[in-house]
Amino acid sequence: MRSVRRWLPGLLLVSPSIVAIAVFVYGMLGWNFRLAMTDKHDEISEGQFVGLTNFVELWDQPRWTISVNHAIVFTIVFVLGALLLGLLLAFLMEKGIKGEGTFRAIYLFPMAVSFVATGIVWRWLMNAGQDERAVGLNRLFDGLGLDFLQWQWFRDPDWGMAAMAIPAIWQMSGYVMALFLAGFRGVPEELREAARVDGCNEWRVYRYIVLPYLRPVTLSALIILGHISLKVFDLIVAVAGKQIITDVPAVFMWVAVFDSHDPAKGATIAAYIVLSVTVFVVPYLIWSVRKERKERRS
Amino acid sequence: MSTTVAQVGRHEAPVERSRVRGRVALTVRYALLILFVLVFLIPVYVLLATSFKPLTEADPSQAWNLPQIWTFEAWRVAWEKLSPGLWNSVLLAVPGSLISAMLGSMNGYVLSKWRFPGADLVFTLFLFGMFIPYQGVMIPLVQLMVNLDIYGDIPGLILAHVVYGIPICTLIFRNYYVTIPDELIEASRVDGATMLRTYRSVILPVSGPAFAVVIIWQFTSLWNDFLFAVFLTGPQSWPATVLLNNIAGAQATPYSQQMAAAILASVPTMIVYVLLGRFFMRGLMAGALKG
């Protein structure tokens, strides 16, 4: 009885949040899945249960497969690009350099700005006009005598989404740098020193001592970048609006809800976005909670 | 004597060589870092240079030039068009981030210092809420808000941000409070203090930094949010991001006005970043779990 009196007030204090999360996160996810399994394809009908029909039929729509392909290309270029650039920047800074604070502040500042605002500049920079009509980077290449570098950017039918990843890399690689920098600093200096005494050159020190230490940070960075990438929305809308040429699932869902007025289709797309994030976030969460518990015990 | 000289000579050569190599490596390091600084600042140059240009200099051939005549005209028009949105964003982000911080602080306190059975499970379930793509709740959320008659207005948008901000705010406060020694709480308990009294007298006085981190984090995400705003608000309550996107999306808006509007919409978060960057960084690292 005493012990209940001990923890009950705490539970009461947190209970509004528990209820809110239960309703707004789990309840609404469930509601969304239920809606996705009905034929409510307009705003007035009641909607009958149709099972997984919508989930299957979505794949017959060209716009859906296009947007999935776009999301895959975008994800690969963005995740790899931000990861490698962030790692490179952290590597250049890790041994301590003069003006480190300033460098960090400059690499990180894009994080503080909205995708909508940066999208406006990048739309200008990645303008598809060429030669006389060129502005942005095409004009810059032209002026530098690098005309052959001019291209259609995000309007390129094959690799447009790779161009779309550039602003996202610009925005997020500073964050990855900060994560990796913390990772580099977590490697005990004695370990590196010991390896050097044992005759390892700097390259081998990185390969066998430092890189294994960076594995958890790399995993966190992958998860963060990956889940940003799969739900990317603001950036695409700000740079290109809702054109099919740069469509991704999140934009398609928006179109399904507001332009096609098809709640069931919107819910189905949303459900797919949730599933794509869940399959790798849940194992990651379980892994990190277990790790924390193990650390607490030891 | 001669052997010593020879030995010294033999030893000195590699030291000298590695020093030269170190200096070259350092120079390359700085050169690359500065190169990346320039690349990172290209968009900033474009924003500023374009926003001060008069319409007569809008020709593509002058795209990368500094303005010949500097004018505030584009800024004036952009301010006129954007100011309702900026004001809405203030009404959204200030109360939203304060409420989030209060809730997060209490949750973090309980989940680290006044734990109940199942607290770990609750925390894990909260964490998942941090990662869900909000598209997955958007259609039901709109429906619910229509039913409750709070759709399309700022209070509804604040509610959404506060609720979906609970996980990250709780996480930051919990990780901060874990570092406070349990003995302090025990001592207060032994003195007969209730949970809330202990919170007020022991926890709250040392919570300053965590509050700074959370308020800055939430302020930035609320200010920069586009997804919730575009689904949950109407023309009267559009925050700066939605209005900015509409202004820039209109074909007739000249580049100079688009750029000026983009800068105006980013000024508050940039000020926060410059003045309180230290706390911003800490929020980012705490949010290493979140994007």
Side-chain angles (χ1 to χ4, degrees):
Chain A
M1 206 46 220
R2 261 199 69 196
S3 83
V4 173
R5 283 225 327 253
R6 208 176 150 100
W7 56 255
L8 193 63
L11 183 60
L12 284 177
L13 193 62
V14 184
S15 53
S17 295
I18 296 178
V19 171
I21 294 288
V23 171
F24 283 88
V25 174
Y26 295 95
M28 301 232 160
L29 280 177
W31 184 348
N32 182 76
F33 270 98
R34 209 189 54 187
L35 181 61
M37 288 193 271
T38 66
D39 62 355
K40 186 173 160 55
H41 292 299
D42 53 67
E43 265 149 24
I44 33 176
S45 75
E46 277 295 310
Q48 296 296 314
F49 182 80
V50 292
L52 295 174
T53 316
N54 294 328
F55 286 88
V56 178
E57 279 177 357
L58 197 57
W59 293 95
D60 296 333
Q61 300 202 8
R63 186 162 185 173
W64 168 248
T65 45
I66 290 172
S67 71
V68 170
N69 282 334
H70 283 164
I72 293 172
V73 174
F74 179 87
T75 301
I76 292 172
V77 178
F78 165 60
V79 171
L80 280 182
L83 211 58
L84 291 177
L85 183 54
L87 182 61
L88 174 66
L89 291 173
F91 169 74
L92 291 172
M93 295 168 77
E94 65 112 3
K95 284 190 177 152
I97 47 163
K98 268 192 205 126
E100 186 189 310
T102 315
F103 281 116
R104 277 166 64 135
I106 291 170
Y107 298 140
L108 256 169
F109 91 90
M111 271 294 288
V113 183
S114 66
F115 268 135
V116 177
T118 57
I120 291 169
V121 199
W122 282 97
R123 185 173 53 190
W124 185 88
L125 284 167
M126 301 197 296
N127 191 295
Q130 294 185 12
D131 302 321
E132 285 83 57
R133 291 181 47 241
V135 295
L137 291 171
N138 280 353
R139 164 69 58 182
L140 190 66
F141 291 152
D142 196 42
L144 295 173
L146 299 166
D147 325 35
F148 59 92
L149 280 177
Q150 296 191 56
W151 68 310
Q152 294 258 299
W153 300 99
F154 60 90
R155 291 191 195 285
D156 184 278
D158 298 317
W159 296 104
M161 288 315 282
M164 195 60 100
I166 297 173
I169 295 172
W170 175 78
Q171 194 132 358
M172 292 302 296
S173 53
Y175 182 41
V176 180
M177 172 215 67
L179 286 176
F180 274 125
L181 206 50
F184 274 120
R185 304 265 154 93
V187 183
E189 189 53 38
E190 307 84 68
L191 256 173
R192 293 197 200 198
E193 211 36 66
R196 278 183 209 125
V197 170
D198 284 350
C200 282
N201 58 26
E202 273 309 289
W203 161 248
R204 290 170 70 95
V205 171
Y206 275 107
R207 173 72 189 74
Y208 295 106
I209 310 290
V210 178
L211 273 187
Y213 254 90
L214 294 182
R215 240 176 250 153
V217 180
T218 313
L219 186 64
S220 301
L222 267 178
I223 298 285
I224 292 162
L225 296 173
H227 102 287
I228 290 176
S229 177
L230 289 171
K231 60 179 195 192
V232 61
F233 174 70
D234 325 17
L235 176 68
I236 312 272
V237 173
V239 173
K242 22 185 169 177
Q243 308 175 52
I244 293 195
I245 192 145
T246 53
D247 214 15
V248 290
V251 177
F252 188 24
M253 181 232 167
W254 188 38
V255 171
V257 174
F258 281 112
D259 298 343
S260 323
H261 300 283
D262 185 340
K265 187 162 134 194
T268 310
I269 301 169
Y272 269 124
I273 300 175
V274 171
L275 285 175
S276 71
V277 171
T278 307
V279 287
F280 67 92
V281 162
V282 166
Y284 171 71
L285 280 184
I286 293 172
W287 173 79
S288 47
V289 168
R290 271 203 200 134
K291 199 178 79 170
E292 203 205 82
R293 217 176 277 166
K294 221 186 283 167
E295 274 160 15
R296 212 191 297 159
R297 251 184 244 132
S298 58
Chain B
M1 191 65 196
S2 64
T3 50
T4 341
V5 171
Q7 262 173 3
V8 168
R10 216 186 303 145
H11 271 278
E12 243 170 21
V15 168
E16 186 58 32
R17 208 182 309 143
S18 82
R19 222 176 38 212
V20 170
R21 214 159 62 191
R23 214 176 295 147
V24 171
L26 196 65
T27 314
V28 172
R29 235 167 240 260
Y30 276 110
L32 280 174
L33 285 170
I34 290 168
L35 179 76
F36 278 115
V37 164
L38 294 179
V39 171
F40 267 73
L41 290 180
I42 286 176
V44 179
Y45 170 80
V46 169
L47 277 167
L48 286 171
T50 314
S51 71
F52 286 109
K53 274 183 193 167
L55 286 178
T56 49
E57 293 177 39
D59 189 74
S61 64
Q62 304 183 34
W64 287 88
N65 299 353
L66 280 170
Q68 280 158 349
I69 306 161
W70 293 67
T71 166
F72 278 97
E73 186 53 22
W75 284 77
R76 196 185 54 76
V77 180
W79 170 256
E80 245 165 51
K81 289 185 183 170
L82 194 66
S83 52
L86 290 171
W87 181 237
N88 282 335
S89 282
V90 172
L91 290 181
L92 162 74
V94 172
S97 48
L98 293 178
I99 299 170
S100 285
M102 278 315 297
L103 264 180
S105 168
M106 293 190 300
N107 290 343
Y109 165 57
V110 172
L111 291 178
S112 60
K113 296 292 176 213
W114 215 277
R115 295 159 55 80
F116 50 87
D120 268 342
L121 178 69
V122 165
F123 184 61
T124 312
L125 290 174
F126 273 25
L127 281 188
F128 178 67
M130 213 158 77
F131 279 102
I132 57 156
Y134 298 129
Q135 281 87 0
V137 296
M138 207 54 87
I139 299 172
L141 187 62
V142 169
Q143 197 57 55
L144 183 80
M145 290 199 169
V146 169
N147 293 347
L148 294 177
D149 207 20
I150 49 172
Y151 176 76
D153 233 334
I154 292 181
L157 189 56
I158 293 180
L159 173 73
H161 277 295
V162 167
V163 168
Y164 295 107
I166 288 175
I168 181 77
C169 299
T170 304
L171 173 76
I172 296 176
F173 274 108
R174 176 183 168 276
N175 288 355
Y176 182 77
Y177 291 149
V178 163
T179 60
I180 297 175
D182 284 338
E183 290 76 35
L184 284 180
I185 312 291
E186 260 335 295
S188 173
R189 255 178 174 165
V190 170
D191 286 349
T194 61
M195 181 185 69
L196 284 176
R197 222 195 124 75
T198 310
Y199 176 69
R200 263 209 319 273
S201 57
V202 180
I203 300 285
L204 214 45
V206 296
S207 298
F211 268 97
V213 171
V214 166
I215 290 174
I216 288 170
W217 175 276
Q218 278 297 85
F219 180 84
T220 313
S221 16
L222 266 71
W223 189 275
N224 288 342
D225 165 70
F226 180 70
L227 180 65
F228 276 115
V230 93
F231 273 89
L232 298 180
T233 56
Q236 286 305 307
S237 53
W238 275 339
T241 45
V242 179
L243 203 53
L244 173 64
N245 187 54
N246 292 353
I247 292 170
Q251 290 295 323
T253 314
Y255 281 130
S256 53
Q257 283 175 29
Q258 296 186 17
M259 303 290 174
I263 300 174
L264 282 174
S266 314
V267 163
T269 50
M270 285 312 293
I271 291 176
V272 167
Y273 177 69
V274 170
L275 294 183
L276 302 162
R278 199 159 46 94
F279 295 108
F280 185 78
M281 258 317 285
R282 261 196 254 168
L284 284 181
M285 300 321 270
L289 278 161
K290 185 181 161 74

